Amino acid sequence: MCEVQPRDGGRDFASFFGICSEIEHFCRILSGVTYFLLTYLCIREWYICKGASISLVGVSYGSIVGGVVPSLRRGCTVSYSRQYTIQILYVLEIMEKKNRIDSTLCALLLLALLLLPAPAVGQAPASATGSSAGAAQPLKLSIDDAVRLALEQSAQVKTSGLAVDQARYEQKKTIGGLYPNVNLSGSYTYMLKKQRVYFGGDDPSSPMAGMFPADGIEMGEKHALQGGIVAGMPIIAPQLWASLELDKQAVALAEEKARSSKIALEAEVRKAYMGILLARESERVLQSNYNNAKTNYDQIVAKWQQGVVAEYDKIRMDAQVKNILPNLVQAREAIRLSEAKLKVLLALEPTVPIEITEQLSDYQQRVASALPERMGSVSLAENSQLRTLDLQGKQLDAALRVKKMAFMPTLSLSFNYMYNFSADKFKLDNSKRWSPFSTIALSLSVPLFNGFSRQNDVHATRTQLQQLQLQRVDAERQLHLSAMNSLSAQTNAIEQFVAAREAVASAEKGYQIAQVRYKTGEGTILELNDADMALLQARLNYSQAIYNYMVALYTLDELQGISHGSK
């Protein structure tokens, strides 16, 4: 059922129910027009009425004209620029069956809805408010979500992917050189002045004297046309064959560079994410330390006003509170800078709000259960830098073979089928002036001497290969050193974590004891401040140890060429 309340003073639409069959056809058309208008308004104000669901499945043009309208969810409000609103309070499901609402009634009801008054100025629909509020929701990111988003949106990764496509197109271009080359050829020549040929007519002693004019004979025609098909293909082409392997290695090198950029980006994103977690944990620890100092200061001020403690305690605690504030401000600035760095890596606008869903404490169990790795367990076989150097070596080997093939002969096949037209009068319909001809030819080229340029080219490529081999040896040494440093950093972080965890427990207990001692008058303000600073330093060391281990772990994964993707 459809329940609609028209505005006051509206027309009584029930009087139209007795209309004759001729007017009913007009109303059916009117219902179709109303359907399209309703659809347009819903699409136009989609963000205002986001909950509207228009069902168009199985609705044909004939059923639209027959009065079938889409179903709109209950409570939807559609508003448009002229401040008219359509308030549909119940689900409209109008079928073409005879026992349901007539199509004419459907058209009139929709017209009544269109004429409903607009709401008061300043009244915002609930759906519009919810939509605008939802647009300001921050982007929630876990560390895996950040990696996935970076791999999808990074310009560097996209550029590497395009470089791979370019290398593959270059490979296809070289393969295309093995196929026949077919072209249409045509030319037109207009002779400005004909050439004269003399056959000795002006020489009385010549046996040709008297047979030809003394001023010579003009040769050629003013208009000359030539057109046809020209084709050719290589039969023996050693350099072209060797170039196929060169292009294959170029594609593999481009793919490895693309993989390298993804691995490097993933490591950078994970480190930046951990930087945010460290900055937030440091800010939380400093804020807790500030709250403790402020509470102690308020208590000391109250005791000083009562004359229980000396003014020195109040001054000393006031200095303690104010000394924490600069560190707290710096920690908040570190959060802002680390988030800005992550946004750059994720290709996000600086104004886009993000929400980090993880905490540094989520990784403490991973660090606690970690065992120091040994150098023998580290493999650099998948390291991107070494793989790139290896592929560059293979590419130079292929290039060396290409240059050696320059000493080999080449054989090519050519074919042409041409039509010639030549005449003093440009009449193309003169079939006698058109003469076809065709040729087929084999062309053999044997290189003999070119000033030793080919030999020098081969020697230069061999020198590049030797340089590359030396670079690889040096790079492998540097990578082994980096791996050792990363393993050492992991071991140190684990030791720092264990020590810091015990220090935090001891510092918390010591701070509680210092508070009790100071309240009972057995301890001094210096003992309380020292205990507070010891607790602060222990908590910061604890967070720093977790961060150091995870960063060292991500660095080692990058050195080994390990990618966790967006797992």
Side-chain angles (χ1 to χ4, degrees):
M1 292 294 293
C2 179
E3 186 174 341
V4 179
Q5 295 181 359
R7 61 179 182 178
D8 295 338
R11 296 185 178 180
D12 186 7
F13 295 105
S15 60
F16 289 92
F17 294 162
I19 294 179
C20 61
S21 60
E22 289 81 5
I23 301 180
E24 181 181 1
H25 177 67
F26 168 77
C27 291
R28 287 172 179 262
I29 298 176
L30 185 60
S31 66
V33 175
T34 306
Y35 165 79
F36 282 111
L37 179 60
L38 178 61
T39 305
Y40 166 75
L41 294 177
C42 289
I43 295 175
R44 180 178 177 181
E45 299 297 332
W46 176 255
Y47 289 102
I48 297 179
C49 183
K50 203 155 189 175
S53 174
I54 302 177
S55 176
L56 299 177
V57 180
V59 179
S60 62
Y61 177 79
S63 61
I64 291 173
V65 175
V68 179
V69 296
S71 298
L72 296 179
R73 292 182 179 178
R74 181 176 180 179
C76 170
T77 300
V78 181
S79 64
Y80 49 102
S81 58
R82 295 186 180 181
Q83 295 184 347
Y84 286 92
T85 60
I86 304 172
Q87 297 184 348
I88 303 177
L89 304 178
Y90 298 95
V91 177
L92 298 178
E93 294 181 351
I94 302 177
M95 309 298 291
E96 288 184 297
K97 297 181 180 181
K98 293 183 179 180
N99 57 349
R100 295 296 182 93
I101 301 177
D102 187 75
S103 59
T104 304
L105 177 60
C106 172
L108 297 177
L109 290 176
L110 288 175
L111 285 177
L113 292 174
L114 290 173
L115 296 178
L116 285 176
V121 178
Q123 180 181 357
S127 59
T129 305
S131 176
S132 60
Q137 290 295 326
L139 178 61
K140 296 184 178 181
L141 290 175
S142 65
I143 192 169
D144 292 333
D145 293 336
V147 171
R148 175 186 54 78
L149 188 61
L151 294 178
E152 291 176 355
Q153 299 188 3
S154 172
Q156 182 180 359
V157 173
K158 293 179 180 179
T159 302
S160 301
L162 293 176
V164 174
D165 295 339
Q166 180 183 359
R168 289 173 178 169
Y169 287 131
E170 293 292 338
Q171 183 183 26
K172 293 179 181 180
K173 176 183 175 182
T174 303
I175 295 175
L178 299 174
Y179 295 102
N181 186 13
V182 182
N183 297 300
L184 286 176
S185 176
S187 64
Y188 168 76
T189 303
Y190 178 79
M191 188 174 293
L192 298 176
K193 184 174 179 59
K194 295 182 180 180
Q195 181 183 7
R196 285 185 175 273
V197 179
Y198 298 90
F199 296 95
D202 56 343
D203 187 4
S205 62
S206 174
M208 306 293 292
M211 297 179 62
F212 296 97
D215 57 350
I217 300 176
E218 291 184 343
M219 302 291 292
E221 306 288 348
K222 287 186 176 181
H223 303 279
L225 282 175
Q226 188 178 68
I229 298 177
V230 179
M233 68 172 296
I235 297 179
I236 299 176
Q239 267 194 308
L240 181 59
W241 298 339
S243 297
L244 299 178
E245 180 65 21
L246 180 62
D247 291 336
K248 180 181 177 181
Q249 296 301 328
V251 172
L253 181 60
E255 290 176 346
E256 179 57 33
K257 289 183 178 180
R259 188 183 80 95
S260 176
S261 64
K262 291 181 180 180
I263 293 175
L265 178 63
E266 178 180 345
E268 288 296 323
V269 170
R270 291 185 182 276
K271 292 176 184 178
Y273 195 93
M274 295 303 300
I276 296 178
L277 297 185
L278 177 63
R280 291 193 171 188
E281 183 64 19
S282 300
E283 191 270 341
R284 186 191 67 80
V285 171
L286 288 170
Q287 184 65 51
S288 176
N289 179 255
Y290 176 80
N291 294 338
N292 291 339
K294 191 68 170 60
T295 301
N296 293 334
Y297 174 74
D298 294 338
Q299 293 176 358
I300 291 174
V301 169
K303 291 182 179 181
W304 174 74
Q305 291 175 351
Q306 296 174 2
V308 178
V309 299
E311 185 179 4
Y312 172 79
D313 291 351
K314 182 180 78 70
I315 297 175
R316 186 68 181 82
M317 203 64 213
D318 181 58
Q320 178 76 7
V321 172
K322 293 180 179 178
N323 287 335
I324 299 175
L325 280 177
N327 296 331
L328 187 58
V329 173
Q330 186 177 3
R332 291 168 180 169
E333 179 65 14
I335 294 176
R336 188 189 67 82
L337 293 177
S338 56
E339 288 183 351
K341 180 181 178 181
L342 182 62
K343 291 179 182 179
V344 171
L345 293 174
L346 301 184
L348 296 176
E349 294 295 331
T351 57
V352 175
I354 60 174
E355 179 182 345
I356 303 301
T357 60
E358 298 182 10
Q359 296 180 357
L360 195 64
S361 58
D362 297 338
Y363 295 85
Q364 61 183 5
Q365 186 61 35
R366 184 172 181 179
V367 181
S369 60
L371 295 176
E373 295 188 38
R374 295 183 178 180
M375 189 61 196
S377 62
V378 177
S379 174
L380 299 179
E382 296 297 321
N383 179 266
S384 296
Q385 185 178 356
L386 294 181
R387 285 171 59 92
T388 299
L389 290 173
D390 291 338
L391 290 173
Q392 287 177 349
K394 292 181 180 180
Q395 193 176 25
L396 282 177
D397 285 334
L400 182 60
R401 286 193 293 271
V402 171
K403 293 175 180 179
K404 287 181 177 180
M405 291 298 105
F407 294 92
M408 304 298 293
T410 59
L411 180 65
S412 61
L413 174 67
S414 62
F415 167 80
N416 64 71
Y417 186 86
M418 309 293 291
Y419 267 91
N420 278 341
F421 172 85
S422 59
D424 285 333
K425 296 182 179 180
F426 195 73
K427 294 183 178 181
L428 300 179
D429 57 348
N430 188 355
S431 60
K432 294 182 179 181
R433 291 291 182 175
W434 288 96
S435 59
F437 73 94
S438 62
T439 61
I440 186 171
L442 288 174
S443 177
L444 176 66
S445 176
V446 181
L448 297 178
F449 180 76
N450 66 342
F452 302 103
S453 62
R454 286 187 290 266
Q455 291 88 340
N456 293 328
D457 204 8
V458 171
H459 293 322
T461 305
R462 286 175 177 170
T463 303
Q464 290 181 353
L465 270 172
Q466 294 174 357
Q467 292 176 348
L468 189 63
Q469 291 172 357
L470 294 175
Q471 291 176 6
R472 192 192 186 284
V473 172
D474 184 65
E476 190 171 5
R477 291 173 181 170
Q478 296 291 337
L479 290 172
H480 275 289
L481 178 60
S482 299
M484 291 176 58
N485 293 337
S486 179
L487 291 175
S488 177
Q490 289 186 34
T491 303
N492 294 337
I494 292 175
E495 294 177 356
Q496 292 172 2
F497 174 81
V498 174
R501 181 174 56 183
E502 296 175 355
V504 168
S506 300
E508 288 177 348
K509 185 176 181 180
Y511 181 73
Q512 294 175 359
I513 294 174
Q515 280 185 319
V516 174
R517 283 174 55 83
Y518 185 77
K519 290 179 180 179
T520 58
E522 297 180 3
T524 63
I525 188 64
L526 295 178
E527 293 180 359
L528 181 61
N529 290 341
D530 289 341
D532 193 14
M533 292 301 298
L535 178 59
L536 171 64
Q537 192 62 43
R539 288 176 175 174
L540 292 178
N541 291 339
Y542 183 76
S543 302
Q544 188 68 42
I546 298 176
Y547 171 80
N548 291 342
Y549 176 81
M550 296 307 300
V551 169
L553 180 63
Y554 296 146
T555 301
L556 186 60
D557 287 345
E558 182 181 6
L559 288 174
Q560 296 184 94
I562 298 176
S563 174
H564 300 282
S566 58
K567 294 180 182 179

